[in-house]
Amino acid sequence: MRFLDEDDDDPMLSVVNLIDLFLVIIGVLMVVIAQNPLNPFSEERVVVVENPGEDTMRITVKDGQELTRYESSGEMGEGQGARAGVTYRLDDGRMIYVPE
Protein backbone atom coordinates (compact mmCIF):
# COMPACT_ATOMS: atom_id res chain seq x y z
CA MET A 1 0.00 0.00 0.00
CA ARG A 2 2.74 2.36 -0.87
CA PHE A 3 0.52 4.73 -2.91
CA LEU A 4 -1.58 5.54 0.16
CA ASP A 5 1.45 6.60 2.13
CA GLU A 6 2.68 9.10 -0.46
CA ASP A 7 1.85 12.73 0.22
CA ASP A 8 1.08 14.68 -2.98
CA ASP A 9 0.41 18.17 -1.70
CA ASP A 10 1.54 20.02 -4.79
CA PRO A 11 -0.23 23.44 -4.76
CA MET A 12 0.06 23.74 -8.55
CA LEU A 13 -2.41 20.87 -8.99
CA SER A 14 -5.09 22.90 -7.20
CA VAL A 15 -4.38 25.96 -9.37
CA VAL A 16 -4.62 23.89 -12.57
CA ASN A 17 -7.93 22.42 -11.42
CA LEU A 18 -9.30 25.91 -10.67
CA ILE A 19 -8.25 27.17 -14.11
CA ASP A 20 -10.01 24.21 -15.74
CA LEU A 21 -13.14 24.92 -13.71
CA PHE A 22 -13.15 28.61 -14.72
CA LEU A 23 -12.71 27.69 -18.40
CA VAL A 24 -15.73 25.39 -18.22
CA ILE A 25 -17.81 28.11 -16.50
CA ILE A 26 -16.80 30.69 -19.12
CA GLY A 27 -17.72 28.28 -21.92
CA VAL A 28 -21.14 27.61 -20.41
CA LEU A 29 -21.81 31.34 -19.96
CA MET A 30 -20.87 32.05 -23.59
CA VAL A 31 -23.30 29.37 -24.80
CA VAL A 32 -26.07 30.77 -22.58
CA ILE A 33 -25.51 34.30 -23.91
CA ALA A 34 -25.48 33.11 -27.53
CA GLN A 35 -28.72 31.13 -27.07
CA ASN A 36 -30.54 33.97 -25.25
CA PRO A 37 -33.80 34.70 -27.13
CA LEU A 38 -33.77 38.29 -25.81
CA ASN A 39 -30.45 39.02 -27.51
CA PRO A 40 -31.32 41.93 -29.87
CA PHE A 41 -28.52 41.06 -32.29
CA SER A 42 -29.87 37.55 -32.95
CA GLU A 43 -32.50 39.02 -35.29
CA GLU A 44 -31.85 39.90 -38.95
CA ARG A 45 -32.92 43.58 -38.73
CA VAL A 46 -32.59 45.49 -35.43
CA VAL A 47 -32.51 49.14 -34.35
CA VAL A 48 -31.07 49.89 -30.89
CA VAL A 49 -31.36 53.39 -29.39
CA GLU A 50 -29.00 54.16 -26.51
CA ASN A 51 -29.62 57.16 -24.21
CA PRO A 52 -32.70 58.46 -26.08
CA GLY A 53 -33.14 62.22 -25.94
CA GLU A 54 -29.71 62.83 -24.39
CA ASP A 55 -26.69 64.58 -25.90
CA THR A 56 -24.89 61.24 -26.01
CA MET A 57 -27.65 59.42 -27.90
CA ARG A 58 -26.50 56.65 -30.25
CA ILE A 59 -28.52 54.64 -32.76
CA THR A 60 -27.19 51.27 -33.94
CA VAL A 61 -28.85 49.69 -36.98
CA LYS A 62 -28.21 46.06 -37.90
CA ASP A 63 -29.35 45.03 -41.37
CA GLY A 64 -28.16 41.49 -42.06
CA GLN A 65 -24.41 41.43 -41.42
CA GLU A 66 -24.00 45.22 -41.73
CA LEU A 67 -23.84 47.37 -38.59
CA THR A 68 -24.28 51.15 -38.88
CA ARG A 69 -23.86 53.47 -35.89
CA TYR A 70 -25.19 57.01 -35.77
CA GLU A 71 -24.05 59.30 -32.96
CA SER A 72 -25.69 62.52 -31.87
CA SER A 73 -23.60 65.66 -32.11
CA GLY A 74 -25.89 67.52 -29.71
CA GLU A 75 -26.62 70.23 -32.31
CA MET A 76 -30.02 71.16 -33.68
CA GLY A 77 -30.59 70.07 -37.27
CA GLU A 78 -31.68 72.56 -39.88
CA GLY A 79 -32.27 72.69 -43.60
CA GLN A 80 -34.88 73.19 -46.26
CA GLY A 81 -37.63 70.81 -47.17
CA ALA A 82 -41.35 70.19 -47.38
CA ARG A 83 -43.77 68.82 -44.82
CA ALA A 84 -43.99 65.06 -45.24
CA GLY A 85 -46.84 64.20 -42.87
CA VAL A 86 -48.22 64.37 -39.36
CA THR A 87 -47.32 62.32 -36.28
CA TYR A 88 -49.86 61.59 -33.52
CA ARG A 89 -49.23 60.13 -30.05
CA LEU A 90 -51.96 57.76 -28.85
CA ASP A 91 -53.09 57.49 -25.21
CA ASP A 92 -51.08 54.28 -24.75
CA GLY A 93 -47.84 56.00 -25.88
CA ARG A 94 -47.64 54.65 -29.43
CA MET A 95 -46.75 57.04 -32.25
CA ILE A 96 -48.61 57.00 -35.59
CA TYR A 97 -47.24 58.69 -38.69
CA VAL A 98 -49.76 59.78 -41.35
CA PRO A 99 -48.14 60.79 -44.67
CA GLU A 100 -49.72 63.69 -46.56
Side-chain angles (χ1 to χ4, degrees):
M1 298 284 178
R2 190 172 140 204
F3 64 89
L4 291 177
D5 294 335
E6 292 180 14
D7 224 3
D8 288 336
D9 289 336
D10 188 10
M12 286 304 291
L13 292 176
S14 299
V15 172
V16 170
N17 287 337
L18 284 176
I19 291 172
D20 290 341
L21 177 68
F22 286 133
L23 287 174
V24 169
I25 290 173
I26 289 171
V28 168
L29 288 175
M30 289 179 70
V31 169
V32 167
I33 289 171
Q35 297 294 329
N36 186 0
L38 298 177
N39 184 1
F41 292 105
S42 65
E43 299 294 325
E44 195 66 28
R45 298 187 73 206
V46 177
V47 176
V48 177
V49 179
E50 301 172 31
N51 304 326
E54 301 291 326
D55 290 341
T56 59
M57 184 171 92
R58 288 190 302 202
I59 299 174
T60 305
V61 179
K62 178 188 176 217
D63 191 7
Q65 293 294 323
E66 180 181 341
L67 279 176
T68 308
R69 175 170 281 171
Y70 303 99
E71 295 193 21
S72 172
S73 64
E75 299 176 3
M76 181 65 76
E78 61 181 70
Q80 297 179 356
R83 185 175 172 159
V86 181
T87 303
Y88 297 98
R89 182 184 306 266
L90 298 179
D91 291 337
D92 62 1
R94 290 184 295 161
M95 301 286 277
I96 296 181
Y97 170 71
V98 180
E100 288 185 352

